[in-house]
Amino acid sequence: MTIRRSTLFITAAMLGCWILLAKSSSADAAPLESPQQVSGPRSSPPNVLVIVADDLGFADLGCLGSTDMQTPALDELYLQSLKLNRLYANCPVCSPTRASILTGRYPDRVGVPGVIRTNANNSWGYFAPSTPTIAQRLGDLGYQTAAIGKWHLGLRGENHPMQRGFDSFEGFLGDMMDDYFNHRRHGINYMRRNDAEIDPQGHATDLFSQWASDFVSKNSDSPQPWFLYLAYNAPHTPIQPPESWLSKVKDREAGIDDTRAALVALIEHMDDGIGRVLDSLRSSGQFENTIIAFISDNGGQVNVGANNGALRDGKGSMYEGGIRIPGCIRVPGVTKAGSSTDQVCVTMDLLPTILALAGRPEMQETVDGVSWVPLLKDPDASLPDREVFFVRREGGFQYAGLTIEALLSRNLKLVHNFPTHSFELFDLNADPAESKDLAKSLPKDFRNMIERLQRHVQGGGEVPWQKDDH
C-alpha cells in the first residue's frame, strides 16, 4: 500500500500522543482530561468505522424494543457502546443526512437541501465541492479512507467519492436500487469499483458486507490508521430480503404479516452482514483499536412495515418518527458498556466527534455539529445549549419545490410538515407523541421560533444547490 504525504511522521506523532495518554482500564477509568486520553494500550492511532443503515426505524432492533426482530450483532454492539437515546438525523430523507455526516454541516449549507436523484429533473441538491469531508480531513492526518455501499450524493465527476477525499470506493453511486440483486436504477448500472463500472453477482447487503470485511482484513497490518464509511442500502425499498431469510422469519414469528416479515428479514440480514464485519475486526486484532459508530439516515418508512415505536409518523416527515433515529458509538477504553445519554445529538456531530478523538479538535472550527466527547467521558454530562434546524426541499405534485422545516429548541419543537399545512408547536417533554399543538397557547415562542427558522432557511439559499452548466 502506498503511504501518502508525510503519513509516517504524522502517524508516529499521533501514536506517541495516543500511547502516552492511554493509562487506565475502561471499566474503572477516571474522568478523561482530553479527547485523546483513551485508556488501554494502543499499537496505532484509532481506526474509524461509521456504519449507516438506510431508513431504519427507531425501534427496529431487538435491543430497541422490537419483539419480532433478532439482531444479535447490533444488540451486542449497543451493549458495548454509548447509546444515543435522542439522536436526530439532519433530514428525514437520504441525501441531506449523508451530506451532514460527511461534512459536519447543515445539509442546506453544503448544497443538499433535498434528495439528489439520478433523474436531473427531480434532483434537489448539488453537493458543494468546496466543502471538505471527513475523509479529506482524516486523510490530512494520514488516514487511509474508503467508502463502501450507497453514495447518493451525486453522479458528477467532482462528486465521486474519490474526488471527495476517499482513497477507494466500492458500491452504488446512484440513489436507490430498483433491485437488490441486479443493482440497477432505471435500468442503469451504478455499481462501481473506484471509477470502473462493475457488475457483481449477489445481494447488495452481502456484497457491501464482504467488501467491508475484506477491507478490514487487508489493512490489519498497515502502518496507516483507516477510516471506513460503510453505508448500506438496507432496509430501504424495495423490501427484498434473500428468500432464505424471509422463510426463517416466517417460520419463527407465528402470525406475522407478509409486509412486516419482509422488512424484518431485510434488517436481520443486514445485521448478519454487520456481524461479519465486526468479526473481521476481532479476528484481525483491530476491534480494540477501532472507533465504531452506527446510525440510520432517517426514520423508518411506515407504509412498508417499519417500527418507529411511540414516535409520530416516519420517513419523509418532520415529526419525530421521521428524524429520530437509532444510534450508538463505541470508543475502546472510553465508552462504558451499557451507558446511554438523553442529550440531543445530531448526525452532523459525528465529524467533530471523530476529529476530536483522532487528535485534531481544531479542525472542527468550520462545522455546525458539536463533539460528543463530553458524553463519552461522562454520559450524564451536558452538551452546549443549541437550537437544531431541519430543512427538506422536495419536488413532485405535492411539494412543487417547496420546503418543509422544523426547529428544535430545548423542549419545544416547531414543525412545518407539509407546504400547505400550518406550523405547529409541541412540547416534547410533556408530549413526546406530538399530539397537542401549542401554537395558540404559546404565541410569543411560536412567532419567535418561526422567525429564527426563517433566517436559517434564508441562509441555506446562499449556497447553490443546482449545478450551473451554462
Side-chain angles (χ1 to χ4, degrees):
M1 181 182 296
T2 300
I3 302 177
R4 57 187 178 186
R5 296 189 292 275
S6 54
T7 297
L8 288 176
F9 173 78
I10 295 170
T11 302
M14 291 173 63
L15 172 58
C17 177
W18 192 266
I19 293 176
L20 283 172
L21 292 168
K23 296 296 181 185
S24 58
S25 71
S26 61
D28 301 313
L32 305 179
E33 298 299 324
S34 73
Q36 299 102 310
Q37 284 185 293
V38 178
S39 53
R42 290 291 178 267
S43 59
S44 68
N47 303 315
V48 180
L49 170 61
V50 173
I51 305 173
V52 182
D54 196 336
D55 298 356
L56 183 66
F58 185 71
D60 260 336
L61 295 176
C63 58
L64 299 178
S66 175
T67 59
D68 56 4
M69 186 91 60
Q70 293 185 4
T71 49
L74 286 169
D75 291 355
E76 182 179 359
L77 179 64
Y78 262 79
L79 282 174
Q80 300 173 355
S81 302
L82 175 69
K83 179 182 176 183
L84 306 170
N85 293 329
R86 291 197 67 191
L87 176 61
Y88 285 86
N90 271 93
C91 194
V93 287
C94 300
S95 299
T97 296
R98 292 163 194 270
S100 73
I101 294 167
L102 293 179
T103 65
R105 301 293 311 277
Y106 281 110
D108 53 329
R109 295 297 194 263
V110 296
V112 191
V115 176
I116 297 176
R117 294 190 174 89
T118 52
N119 177 4
N121 291 330
N122 194 26
S123 184
W124 300 87
Y126 173 61
F127 190 25
S130 60
T131 305
T133 67
I134 188 171
Q136 289 167 312
R137 292 171 182 265
L138 289 175
D140 289 341
L141 296 178
Y143 273 71
Q144 176 76 9
T145 60
I148 292 176
K150 178 178 176 178
W151 179 240
H152 203 172
L153 284 169
L155 301 174
R156 294 177 177 275
E158 64 269 28
N159 274 323
H160 187 283
M162 295 180 70
Q163 297 300 317
R164 303 310 300 267
F166 289 99
D167 297 315
S168 62
F169 171 62
E170 286 184 289
F172 191 74
L173 197 60
D175 46 10
M176 60 171 282
M177 291 181 187
D178 293 328
D179 188 290
Y180 273 83
F181 290 95
N182 72 14
H183 325 124
R184 300 297 195 268
R185 176 62 165 160
H186 304 309
I188 301 172
N189 180 12
Y190 290 109
M191 288 291 262
R192 300 288 186 271
R193 177 170 292 120
N194 297 331
D195 292 320
E197 180 178 325
I198 59 174
D199 195 10
Q201 301 300 302
H203 194 282
T205 298
D206 289 324
L207 292 172
F208 298 162
S209 300
Q210 185 61 55
W211 292 341
S213 297
D214 291 344
F215 174 87
V216 168
S217 299
K218 182 177 67 175
N219 286 281
S220 61
D221 296 324
S222 172
Q224 287 180 279
W226 51 257
F227 166 62
L228 173 57
Y229 172 71
L230 173 57
Y232 285 95
N233 277 70
H236 194 290
T237 56
I239 310 303
Q240 192 180 17
E243 186 59 39
S244 60
W245 284 84
L246 180 58
S247 297
K248 181 168 62 174
V249 170
K250 287 187 172 182
D251 291 343
R252 185 188 73 222
E253 301 294 332
I256 192 171
D257 67 69
D258 290 345
T259 298
R260 177 64 182 170
L263 184 64
V264 169
L266 191 61
I267 294 170
E268 291 189 354
H269 179 229
M270 178 184 69
D271 178 80
D272 181 74
I274 292 171
R276 284 185 276 137
V277 177
L278 299 181
D279 285 344
S280 295
L281 284 171
R282 295 185 183 97
S283 63
S284 63
Q286 298 179 87
F287 189 74
E288 291 304 327
N289 190 37
T290 301
I291 298 165
I292 304 171
F294 171 78
I295 59 174
S296 179
D297 62 350
N298 47 250
Q301 186 171 334
V302 176
N303 65 354
V304 297
N307 179 6
N308 291 316
L311 303 180
R312 180 175 178 179
D313 216 337
K315 175 185 178 177
S317 164
M318 287 296 179
Y319 295 120
E320 292 287 277
I323 53 179
R324 282 276 296 280
I325 55 173
C328 66
I329 181 169
R330 181 184 188 270
V331 181
V334 178
T335 46
K336 184 177 180 181
S339 59
S340 65
T341 177
D342 292 324
Q343 289 289 295
V344 170
C345 299
V346 193
T347 48
M348 65 184 175
D349 299 340
L350 266 174
L351 181 146
T353 302
I354 290 168
L355 291 180
L357 291 167
R360 291 297 299 273
E362 71 275 12
M363 296 180 74
Q364 307 172 45
E365 293 175 357
T366 58
V367 302
D368 299 309
V370 302
S371 171
W372 297 335
V373 165
L375 304 178
L376 297 170
K377 294 160 59 175
D378 176 8
D380 294 324
S382 297
L383 295 179
D385 281 342
R386 58 172 168 167
E387 294 189 319
V388 183
F389 300 89
F390 305 88
V391 175
R392 176 196 176 193
R393 185 180 289 273
E394 189 54 274
F397 174 76
Q398 294 177 311
Y399 289 89
L402 299 176
T403 61
I404 63 173
E405 313 95 358
L407 166 57
L408 182 62
S409 181
R410 294 188 178 180
N411 60 306
L412 293 180
K413 182 182 173 189
L414 179 72
V415 177
H416 184 211
N417 198 50
F418 204 73
T420 58
H421 289 185
S422 299
F423 282 85
E424 301 169 284
L425 183 65
F426 302 104
D427 182 341
L428 294 182
N429 286 353
D431 179 27
E434 298 171 291
S435 61
K436 184 178 180 182
D437 182 8
L438 301 177
K440 293 181 179 178
S441 304
L442 299 172
K444 184 177 180 180
D445 291 307
F446 182 62
R447 288 193 302 269
N448 289 341
M449 290 179 71
I450 289 178
E451 291 176 1
R452 296 197 297 276
L453 178 57
Q454 176 178 292
R455 287 195 293 271
H456 177 88
V457 173
Q458 284 179 321
E462 298 173 359
V463 182
W465 52 274
Q466 291 287 290
K467 175 67 173 175
D468 184 2
D469 291 318
H470 301 293

